[in-house]
Amino acid sequence: AKAAAALDGRNFVLPDDVASVADAVLAHRLMLDRRAVTAGETASSVVASVLAQVPVQGGTRRPSS
């Protein structure tokens, strides 16, 4: 997230920076149980679900593209 902010010319991180890298950074670390896989969950969908539940101070994140 810090690198994403720096590439945008900022020295601070926004929630959008965290959200933009969360899947690449976290999804490969998750091991889903059999029930989740059977239900059609993926590691990426779990990360997206968690991000959607985390409140963002001062508003909401920009929709992911």
Side-chain angles (χ1 to χ4, degrees):
K2 284 177 149 183
L7 288 171
D8 273 350
R10 289 180 275 107
N11 63 354
F12 56 91
V13 175
L14 295 172
D16 287 337
D17 299 321
V18 175
S20 72
V21 298
D23 187 57
V25 173
L26 299 173
H28 73 279
R29 296 181 176 271
L30 298 179
M31 293 177 57
L32 303 179
D33 66 12
R34 189 174 315 156
R35 289 176 294 182
V37 173
T38 304
E41 293 285 341
T42 65
S44 291
S45 69
V46 171
V47 171
S49 175
V50 170
L51 282 176
Q53 294 177 41
V54 176
V56 176
Q57 184 176 357
T60 58
R61 281 183 211 88
R62 286 180 259 157
S64 59
S65 28

